[in-house]
Amino acid sequence: MEFLIDKLSQKSILRKEEWIFLLSNRNSKIVEYACEKARQTSIQHFGNKVFVRGLIEFTNHCKNNCFYCGIRAGNKNAVRYRLTKEEILTCCRVGNELGFKTFVLQGGEDPYFTDEKLLEIITAIKEQYPDNALTLSFGERSYDSYLAFKNAGVDRYLLRHETANPEHYRQLHPKNLSDLPRKQCLFDLKRIGFQTGTGFMIGSPYQTIENLAEDMLFIADFKPQMLGIGPFIPHQDTPFADFPAGSVELTLFLLTLSRLLLPNVLLPATTALGTLDQQGREKAILSGANVVMPNLSPLHVREQYMLYNNKIATGLEAAEGVKKLEESMAKIGYELVHERGDFI
């Protein structure tokens, strides 16, 4: 199977059946071979740098009822919150003092935050921190909304496609949601000029190896500047409460393959991976990831942004632990850098 890894390394696109074969027949030897290639590729493009982003989870209200998500509209046990503009700016101030050069505003699809409210927040952040990059992750919006956010200074936008297969998408979402509008949003974001990120879950309910092959084909075609890949983790207050979590090993392998497929992509070591494996963050970096996102949200709301069971928001996952995070990266030969870390 090394020839398929070499084919990826040489910037050749694999066919669907090749992705299926590679994912279905992987073994420890091929995983290590791919991992070494991914590390070499990452170092070639970024050196030993790991970019740090300050994550601000500004609302856990959401109008959607996705079957896998702990902040789904139907979860009556969720303790809801919204951060004020002043609270968000305080998070930015703390992040800036810690040396973070990118802020990531992430929230559920909360109708309270109209374009007008969001633009007021975006403008205030960019006025106070003009040299810092700003990423927004706020779900599906209209083309005009995205354009207004870009004109106000938002640099990047994250919108995971979750799964590229339409039938699988229907198995993960209620009937009012479809994969087509979501994919259209991604193409709109790219057309407007955002550094655009997408991504998918590993091991989500009803997922097949063929589905994962389709995800890899989708990102090969879309060519995102950022890519978020993490394992599915169940939440006790969702219809998927009793489903098993996704595989850490398969998640790491797909990170590795993604680095080979998209050599200069910005690839986070996700919180979900760190939740399932205490060394998940470090393993992700050694598999080709090059971004970490410590949590800047106020302490009193971190446990309320609970997308899945036992989501970590303290320790190395917290902004306050950035010194320990630097030490953790240094131990595996990498440097946590305080740069914008834009896509090149």
Side-chain angles (χ1 to χ4, degrees), residues 47-229:
N48 68 340
K49 292 181 178 181
V50 176
F51 300 112
V52 62
R53 322 296 203 198
L55 178 63
I56 304 169
E57 296 162 333
F58 68 102
T59 175
N60 72 344
H61 289 258
C62 190
K63 67 181 182 182
N64 294 331
N65 217 14
C66 305
F67 300 149
Y68 51 83
C69 184
I71 63 170
R72 62 197 303 264
N75 181 8
K76 304 306 180 185
N77 294 323
V79 180
R80 305 291 179 175
Y81 74 89
R82 294 183 178 105
L83 298 186
T84 64
K85 181 181 77 171
E86 290 70 27
E87 287 174 316
I88 292 170
L89 289 171
T90 297
C91 294
C92 293
R93 177 180 57 76
V94 171
N96 192 63
E97 289 172 355
L98 289 169
F100 296 178
K101 293 302 178 186
T102 292
F103 305 129
V104 181
L105 286 183
Q106 178 177 293
E109 292 197 22
D110 183 354
Y112 170 83
F113 283 100
T114 60
D115 286 0
E116 183 180 6
K117 286 187 173 73
L118 281 173
L119 290 170
E120 184 181 346
I121 293 166
I122 292 163
T123 301
I125 293 172
K126 295 301 284 189
E127 283 179 351
Q128 293 190 29
Y129 307 100
D131 297 329
N132 293 31
L134 180 59
T135 302
L136 189 58
S137 181
F138 199 55
E140 299 175 27
R141 310 283 283 201
S142 71
Y143 183 95
D144 288 342
S145 293
Y146 289 147
L147 183 60
F149 299 155
K150 186 73 174 69
N151 289 337
V154 175
D155 302 277
R156 309 174 188 138
Y157 202 101
L158 296 171
L159 182 68
R160 285 190 179 192
H161 67 276
E162 299 300 2
T163 176
N165 180 275
E167 178 57 34
H168 188 218
Y169 195 93
R170 285 191 288 270
Q171 291 175 304
L172 301 181
H173 299 87
K175 291 181 180 179
N176 66 312
L177 297 178
S178 163
D179 65 304
L180 293 178
R182 198 162 188 87
K183 288 174 181 173
Q184 185 58 54
C185 284
L186 283 167
F187 289 107
D188 287 345
L189 289 163
K190 261 202 147 186
R191 179 183 170 194
I192 289 168
F194 286 97
Q195 295 174 49
T196 305
T198 190
F200 55 99
M201 292 182 288
I202 310 302
S204 57
Y206 313 113
Q207 186 182 69
T208 66
I209 290 295
E210 184 176 355
N211 294 153
L212 289 173
E214 291 166 339
D215 285 317
M216 297 307 285
L217 289 171
F218 176 76
I219 65 169
D221 178 62
F222 184 68
K223 295 180 177 60
Q225 287 85 26
M226 302 172 288
L227 183 64
I229 298 176

